[in-house]
């Protein structure tokens, strides 16, 4: 009468093997789609994957965060402070907000876009200046990209999320073919061309265009 | 086939594979997508009910008819559905009946943090709790088996992290189930005292039988790792956090059936370890059960009753390990959600504030009218309470009747505002009720409702007008007015007039949600910098598109929806463009 006992040999699953990626931004920026593209690409690559997203306020301009975790076996779907290998920020203030979640030695990739939150709009708070410089000054590896301009040159400002995915894939160590394939699967056919272009632009961002 | 699926999508898949025939629910984060995904299967009849009580009663009726049925809701929805919940425990089922309830520890999008497990205990119903998408699928299917095995409704408890995380599932084919024949049996289905007394005995015996079953059920899993001195008893998402922190250095008893708890399994597990820790979010239900059984366990002495758990929290509270991280040194301004550009609710709150009204608020997107700079809401309790609580307020402070309104959305009015309005009319109230009719359930992400003219399955249907309901309840015809919330002068005039009346009034502010696909986006407005005097009048509506740049107002051209509210507020004709061009 003891339930189902699963006697596991101690396999020593190394939590070290789990990679943690956080995608943060502002409701409406397309962080959810970005995390789904990434999650599916990683699954296709053969990893166990968990993606966590909090819905509800996502359309109303609030701060939005999604977690993508992959490895041999992932349990917790969330990423805590000091745990993210990569943070992909769709907006500068959100990069600053979630910096605490970056692992020591992790990489922060941020869009240079700036979106004022309501307390800044009303004058109740100030948008901190020189966010990227201040983060770099702490010795953190930071890559800043102007995803809006790249998305515009791809053909639509709405593809900034895919540009950023492109920038990030270089740091994932994952075969990019699978990412392209998932973009094809998840993006409606009529927007496919601009999205693929946006992805390429992000991917080919040269060290020179990185601020 | 292997896929990654949202927990909620996996529950819907489980419904499909289990041969479920009917789903009736009311939306509520984080449960909403279950019903939306279920509606995509042609084999399942799925609908949005007007509220959770109705939803569960519909599902119960379907079970009586012999079909497998499901109803789901967020945690507070179960309060609304509590009446049929308790009675369905007495009647039992015919076709399998599963009730989904999604808790929200940490209150990502809820007004409280109640622990639904108390309902299982109170209604004496089995409750199962998955911890990832694969279990969402498997447990949903098993729940129907359990329901039919013991002739009981089964509660499937979910949680924000489980509902809204994607993990790997393996799907299978649908297994059709035979309709169970309905046999007239008043002793089972007619709950009058004479029948309910013997049914109560059935309930008590049934829960004892299920307790025995719990000892060997597929839901509970013991995971023993060699040479471990700590045993962890856990359930739901907490298992994942514990697994990440402790790995194979401890052993686990993962409880998948959180009510009734398996006493012998727990005893046997606990006896193997020097230290036993119960890790459960919210209340100390498993822990108290262990204590009552005379076991020495730890739990809430280490971990909080409030909020959501995480691996960081467990590492800190149990291992004393603090997280190591850098942070941005300056204050980072918060980014609260705001009413969207073009939201039809915005102007109404502006007028409430201008008229300095006491605003009895409700739950929906319009609750954001409580945030600065609009800051126009005095109270928010639960769905429907705006109307009924205003009546009470006005009975105590009759002199304030001319300075107070209730504000409620269309979905919420249909959910539980109608009864409050009947109460006002019947009890000689003179309150003014404003219905913000944006033709959709906005807050939870655009679900159809009786005002929207479409069903969940996308068919067109009768469109119920709040005005007609008000007439039918006895509000005088001339006291029911419809206004366009985009016209501030019209809204203000209607409010001033109706607040003066010594009888109940209903003002319906009708304009579809700006995010609806069929709503055409208007041309954006812009600021003529020459004319702008920096008076900031346009800033008073809390529009995310307007900011002050170099001393003058500026409107973001890519986000402005052309609603024209700011244009109406500018006394210097500095706001130009939009439809006026
Ligand atoms: C009892 C209960 N059920 C469900 C919810 C989730 N919920 C919050 S607001 C809301 C409906 C809002 O729709 P509506 O009244 O039309 O206003 P809108 O958001 O469109 O402005 C729902 C379903 C809840 N908070 N309480």
């Amino acid at each position: 009468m003891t339930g189902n006992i699963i006697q596991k040999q101690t396999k020593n699953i190394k939590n070290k093997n789990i990679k943690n990626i956080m995608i943060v931004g502002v409701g409406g920026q397309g962080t959810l789609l970005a995390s789904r593209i990434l999650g599916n690409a990683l699954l296709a690559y053969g990893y166990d994957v968990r993606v966590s997203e909090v819905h509800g306020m996502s359309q109303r301009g609030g701060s939005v965060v999604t977690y993508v975790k992959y490895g041999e076996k992932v349990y917790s779907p969330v990423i805590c402070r000091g745990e993210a290998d990569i943070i992909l920020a769709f907006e500068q203030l959100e990069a600053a907000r979630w910096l605490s979640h970056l692992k020591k030695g992790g990489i922060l990739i941020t869009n240079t876009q700036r979106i004022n939150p309501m307390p800044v709009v009303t004058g109740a708070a100030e948008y901190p200046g020189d966010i990227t410089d201040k983060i770099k000054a702490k010795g953190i590896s930071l890559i800043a990209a102007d995803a809006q301009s790249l998305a515009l040159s791809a053909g639509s400002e709405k593809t900034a999320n895919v540009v950023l995915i492109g920038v990030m894939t270089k740091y994932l160590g994952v075969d990019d073919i699978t990412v392209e394939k998932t973009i094809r699967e998840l993006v409606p056919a009529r927007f496919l061309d601009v999205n693929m272009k946006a992805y390429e632009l992000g991917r080919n961002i040269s060290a020179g265009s990185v601020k | 086939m292997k896929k990654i699926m949202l927990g909620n999508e996996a529950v819907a898949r489980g419904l499909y594979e289990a041969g479920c025939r009917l789903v009736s629910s009311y939306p509520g984060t984080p449960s909403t997508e279950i019903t939306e995904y279920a509606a995509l299967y042609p084999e399942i009849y799925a609908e949005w009910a007007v509220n959770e009580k109705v939803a569960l009663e519909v599902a119960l009726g379907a079970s009586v008819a012999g079909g497998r049925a499901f109803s789901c809701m967020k945690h507070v929805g179960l309060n609304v559905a509590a009446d049929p919940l308790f009675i369905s425990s007495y009647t039992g089922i015919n076709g399998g009946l599963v009730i989904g309830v999604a808790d929200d520890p940490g209150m990502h999008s809820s007004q409280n943090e109640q622990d639904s497990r108390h309902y299982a205990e109170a209604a004496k119903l089995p409750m199962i709790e998955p911890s990832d998408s694969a279990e969402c699928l498997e447990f949903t299917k098993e729940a129907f088996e359990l329901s039919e095995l013991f002739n009981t409704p089964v509660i499937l408890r979910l949680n924000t992290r489980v509902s809204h995380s994607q993990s790997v599932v393996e799907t299978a084919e649908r297994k059709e189930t035979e309709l169970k024949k309905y046999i007239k049996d008043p002793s089972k289905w007619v709950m009058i005292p004479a029948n309910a007394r013997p049914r109560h005995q059935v309930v008590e015996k049934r829960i004892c039988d299920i307790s025995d079953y719990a000892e060997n059920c597929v839901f509970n899993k013991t995971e023993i790792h060699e040479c471990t001195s700590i045993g962890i008893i856990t359930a739901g998402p907490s298992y994942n956090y514990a697994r990440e922190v402790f790995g194979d250095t401890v052993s686990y008893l993962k409880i998948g059936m959180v009510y009734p708890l398996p006493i012998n399994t727990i005893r046997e597990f606990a006896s193997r370890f020097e230290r036993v820790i119960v890790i459960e979010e919210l209340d100390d239900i498993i822990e108290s059960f262990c204590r009552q059984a005379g076991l020495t366990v730890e739990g809430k002495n280490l971990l909080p009753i409030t909020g959501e758990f995480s691996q960081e929290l467990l590492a800190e509270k149990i291992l004393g390990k603090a997280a190591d991280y850098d942070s941005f040194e300056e204050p980072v301004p918060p980014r609260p959600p705001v009413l969207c550009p073009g939201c039809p609710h915005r102007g109404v709150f502006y007028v409430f504030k201008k008229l300095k009204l006491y605003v009895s608020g409700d739950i929906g997107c319009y609750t954001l009218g409580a945030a600065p700079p609009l800051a126009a809401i005095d109270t928010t309790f639960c769905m429907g309470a705006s109307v009924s609580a205003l009546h009470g307020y006005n009975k105590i402070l009759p002199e304030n009747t001319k300075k107070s309104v209730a504000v409620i959305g269309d979905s919420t009015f249909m959910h539980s505002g109608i009864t409050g309005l009947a109460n006002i009319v019947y009890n000689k109230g003179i309150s003014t009720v404003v219905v913000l009719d944006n033709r959709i359930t906005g807050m939870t992400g655009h679900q159809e409702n009786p005002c929207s003219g479409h069903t969940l399955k996308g068919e067109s249907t009768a469109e119920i007008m709040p005005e007609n309901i008000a007439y039918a309840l006895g509000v005088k015809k001339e006291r029911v007015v419809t206004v366009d919330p985009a016209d501030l002068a019209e809204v203000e005039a209607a409010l001033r007039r109706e607040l003066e009346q010594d009888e109940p009034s209903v003002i319906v502010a009708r304009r579809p949600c700006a995010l609806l696909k069929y709503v055409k986006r208007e041309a954006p407005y812009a600021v003529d910098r020459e004319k702008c005097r920096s008076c900031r009048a346009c800033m008073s509506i809390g529009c995310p598109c307007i900011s002050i740049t170099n001393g003058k107002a500026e409107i973001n051209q890519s986000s402005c929806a052309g609603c024209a509210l700011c244009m109406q507020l500018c006394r210097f004709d500095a706001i130009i463009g939009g439809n006026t061009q």
Side-chain angles (χ1 to χ4, degrees), chain A residues 32-167:
Chain A
L32 273 184
L33 179 66
S35 67
R36 288 183 178 186
I37 289 175
L38 190 60
N40 278 286
L42 292 163
L43 178 76
Y45 201 74
Y47 286 114
D48 184 32
V49 180
R50 292 208 173 178
V51 179
S52 180
E53 42 194 61
V54 169
H55 304 195
M57 290 301 172
S58 50
Q59 288 223 286
R60 287 161 208 85
S63 170
V64 192
V65 43
T66 60
Y67 310 112
V68 180
K69 300 181 53 157
Y70 60 102
E72 186 185 337
K73 170 80 191 144
V74 186
Y75 287 98
S76 167
V78 302
I79 296 171
C80 299
R81 290 182 295 186
E83 287 187 347
D85 294 280
I86 300 177
I87 294 181
L88 182 61
F90 281 34
E91 197 270 353
Q92 286 195 46
L93 187 65
E94 297 311 309
R97 186 186 318 286
W98 296 101
L99 182 64
S100 56
H101 283 58
L102 196 66
K103 188 183 274 180
K104 289 277 165 77
I107 301 170
L108 175 66
I109 301 168
T110 183
N111 187 2
T112 51
Q113 195 185 11
R114 191 183 140 144
I115 301 173
N116 287 336
M118 195 45 74
V120 170
V121 172
T122 60
E126 243 181 84
Y127 196 107
D130 309 320
I131 290 178
T132 51
D133 291 342
K134 285 174 188 159
I135 295 176
K136 274 191 192 156
K138 296 169 88 65
I140 289 167
S141 329
L142 179 139
I143 293 145
D146 182 355
Q148 254 56 36
S149 306
L150 289 170
L152 269 178
S153 60
S156 162
E157 209 187 351
K158 294 217 168 93
T159 59
N161 56 351
V162 178
V163 170
L164 288 164
I165 288 272
V167 178

Side-chain angles (χ1 to χ4, degrees), chain B residues 364-507:
Chain B
C365 287
Y366 48 92
T367 312
L368 295 171
L374 291 164
I377 291 177
D378 287 87
T379 57
T380 297
F381 305 126
C382 53
M383 289 187 75
S386 59
V387 182
S388 23
L390 177 66
H391 174 68
Y393 176 89
N394 285 341
K395 285 286 176 188
I396 294 296
L397 299 174
E399 65 279 15
N400 282 356
T401 308
K402 292 187 162 57
K403 278 286 188 194
S404 63
V405 288
V407 64
I408 186 166
D410 50 342
S411 187
T412 307
F413 183 70
M414 292 293 160
H415 177 281
S416 47
I418 298 173
T419 42
L421 184 58
N423 191 59
I424 290 175
V425 175
Y426 166 53
N427 288 306
K428 299 167 163 267
I430 46 179
S431 300
T432 300
V433 174
V434 179
V435 181
L436 300 179
D437 185 359
N438 62 356
R439 309 264 94 195
I440 201 79
T441 313
M443 185 81 207
T444 39
H446 279 186
Q447 289 73 36
E448 279 68 34
N449 72 45
C451 297
S452 57
H454 287 93
T455 66
L456 166 61
K457 289 266 189 181
E459 292 158 359
S460 63
T461 181
E463 226 174 303
I464 300 180
M465 300 308 243
E467 291 90 330
N468 293 337
I469 294 173
Y471 302 147
L473 292 177
V475 180
K476 287 212 189 110
K477 252 207 150 98
E478 56 277 23
R479 295 280 69 81
V480 179
V481 290
T482 310
V483 296
D484 179 358
D487 185 339
L488 294 177
E490 186 185 349
V491 174
E492 184 173 337
L495 270 168
R496 284 188 187 278
R497 188 180 59 245
E498 296 311 319
L499 284 166
E500 279 311 308
Q501 310 301 323
D502 288 325
E503 49 194 357
S505 303
V506 172
I507 299 173

Side-chain angles (χ1 to χ4, degrees), chain B residues 9 44 124 151 340 417 541 544:
Chain B
E9 185 182 358
I44 301 177
K124 304 189 178 179
N151 203 313
C340 302
I541 45 173

Side-chain angles (χ1 to χ4, degrees), chain B residues 201-220:
Chain B
Q201 314 259 351
V202 172
V203 169
E204 295 303 329
K205 162 135 196 341
R206 184 181 68 203
I207 205 69
C208 284
D209 293 346
I210 302 175
S211 294
D212 290 342
Y213 164 93
E215 303 290 353
N216 277 307
C217 69
V218 295
F219 305 108
N220 302 327

Side-chain angles (χ1 to χ4, degrees), chain A residues 3 6 15 50-53 55 60 69 76 78 81 83 91 94 97 100 104 115 121 134 138, chain B residues 33 132 161 164-166 215 222 244 311-312 324-327 329-330 333 335 338 442 539 546:
Chain A
I6 308 167
N15 280 348
R50 292 208 173 178
V51 179
S52 180
E53 42 194 61
H55 304 195
R60 287 161 208 85
K69 300 181 53 157
S76 167
V78 302
R81 290 182 295 186
E83 287 187 347
E91 197 270 353
E94 297 311 309
R97 186 186 318 286
S100 56
K104 289 277 165 77
I115 301 173
V121 172
K134 285 174 188 159
K138 296 169 88 65
Chain B
E33 301 80 10
D132 60 22
R161 284 298 164 198
H164 285 174
S165 294
Q166 299 179 54
E215 303 290 353
T222 309
E244 187 151 323
Q311 60 271 24
E312 180 184 341
D324 183 16
Y325 56 90
D326 274 321
S327 45
E329 265 126 43
E330 290 168 42
R335 191 184 297 278
V338 290
M539 303 284 291
I546 310 177

